[in-house]
Structures are given as structure tokens and as C-alpha cells.
Amino acid sequence: MPSRRPDEALGPAQREALQTTEGGRMKSCFGLRLVVNFGLGGGWAGPERNQDTAPSVRAPAARPPPAPSLLPDQLVLLLEHLLEQKTLNPRTLQSLERAYRLTQQDAEVRHRWCELIIKHKYTKAYKDVERFLQEDQAMGIYLYGELMVSEDSRQQQVARRCFELTKEQMDRSSAQVVAEMLF
């Protein structure tokens, strides 16, 4: 059987989104083919498959295949790549969180997830940032800075509220650094 081009492995909807969206990209990383359609907010990641052994039955084009489970280091790399993007649609962020259960991952993954939330002002997930700042105080100092630099009043309120709740539990030097950022 002749080998197929990578774009032939995509369903019609994914191929069309990739071709019609200027920001759409196909990347291969850690055995995954990642197609992210930044302009329309859709995206999916699926395992690369040998087309000779791939089953001939496909899911409907309107529904992307389920996201594969990734190792924490792979998720960190994916999120860091997404942090380089100028804008992401809220639906893309919501899909990422659901597909990879980002709030249930380790602190490194959750930290990158919080960075995405802050950068793209994804208000529906501000509770995830609040939880991170309260549960992972040592790693949260950078996020306090990001919240304040954004000059977004809602993000600044999140930072101040979390600091008030956790300042007594923080070590003295960390609390002093955060207090200087906030006030």
C-alpha cells in the first residue's frame, strides 16, 4: 500500500481547518500529531498512526478523536508552545483543560495552565489560578507578578484576594516579595 501524506490522515474537517486558517499548524512531537486551529478555537491532538495498520472506521468528522494521555513533561511542552501564541480562543482553552484534565496534573503543568489563563484573560478559569496560588505558594510568586503586570483589574483582584488568604502561611521573604508586587 502506498504511503499517505500526513494531511491525508486528517479527517475532512481537520484538513479544511488546517488549510483555511492562517494560524493552523501541524506539528509532530513525542509521537503525536498536533493540529491546533488557533483562529477558530478548535484543536485536537491524536497519536500518529501507521496508515497500513490504522482501522478503516473513523469517528464522525464533527467530533475530533479523544486526546491521548500525555506525560507531564509532554504537557508542559505543549502548554509552553501555546504560551508563545499571540491569542487563543476561550473554547480552545476550555477544550485543552477538558481533554488533558489540566487542573488534575502536577504543579509544573498547572503552573503553565495558569500562565495561559492569565495571558489570555480566560475568566472562567480564574478559580484555577486562585487554587494554584493557595496550594502551591512557592511556585505562585511568578504568577502574582503576571497578574499584576497585566493591568487587568479582575486579575489584580484575584492576586490581592489570594495573598490576603495565604500571607500568614507564606514564608516571610516570599510574603514580602509578593506584598511589594501587589501594593
Side-chain angles (χ1 to χ4, degrees):
M1 176 178 269
S3 64
R4 292 181 169 178
R5 293 186 352 239
D7 62 335
E8 291 176 331
L10 300 175
Q14 288 89 8
R15 197 168 34 250
E16 180 182 339
L18 183 62
Q19 293 170 351
T20 60
T21 303
E22 186 175 301
R25 297 183 187 167
M26 186 178 339
K27 291 230 175 199
S28 188
C29 181
F30 295 108
L32 297 172
R33 182 172 296 124
L34 172 66
V35 176
V36 182
N37 177 349
F38 301 107
L40 300 175
W44 64 264
E48 288 193 62
R49 299 186 307 183
N50 178 342
Q51 293 301 318
D52 296 334
T53 61
S56 60
V57 179
R58 293 185 183 203
R63 186 180 185 115
S69 60
L70 298 178
L71 297 172
D73 289 343
Q74 293 171 321
L75 282 171
V76 167
L77 288 173
L78 171 63
L79 296 174
E80 284 178 352
H81 172 72
L82 294 174
L83 279 165
E84 295 172 6
Q85 305 306 312
K86 187 174 182 176
T87 59
L88 288 176
N89 187 301
R91 288 188 324 213
T92 300
L93 295 169
Q94 182 180 30
S95 296
L96 275 169
E97 198 291 315
R98 284 183 181 168
Y100 297 108
R101 296 185 206 125
L102 296 173
T103 59
Q104 298 170 18
Q105 299 293 331
D106 69 15
E108 290 289 335
V109 173
R110 288 184 287 120
H111 186 271
R112 297 315 187 292
W113 170 235
C114 289
E115 287 183 78
L116 274 174
I117 293 168
I118 294 166
K119 178 178 180 177
H120 299 290
K121 296 178 173 64
Y122 182 42
T123 57
K124 290 183 179 180
Y126 281 178
K127 66 184 178 342
D128 297 340
V129 175
E130 290 180 21
R131 185 171 42 247
F132 187 85
L133 291 173
Q134 292 172 27
E135 294 175 4
D136 295 284
Q137 295 169 13
M139 292 183 71
I141 293 176
Y142 173 80
L143 293 179
Y144 278 109
E146 291 296 310
L147 288 165
M148 296 309 289
V149 168
S150 74
E151 297 184 7
D152 180 278
S153 63
R154 290 174 295 180
Q155 289 187 358
Q156 291 177 351
Q157 288 173 353
V158 167
R160 289 186 177 105
R161 183 171 50 247
C162 288
F163 181 67
E164 288 301 319
L165 292 171
T166 60
K167 68 181 176 184
E168 300 301 323
Q169 301 163 4
M170 296 174 92
D171 67 82
R172 185 181 305 228
S173 61
S174 296
Q176 185 176 0
V177 168
V178 174
E180 290 173 6
M181 282 190 261
L182 301 180
F183 303 106

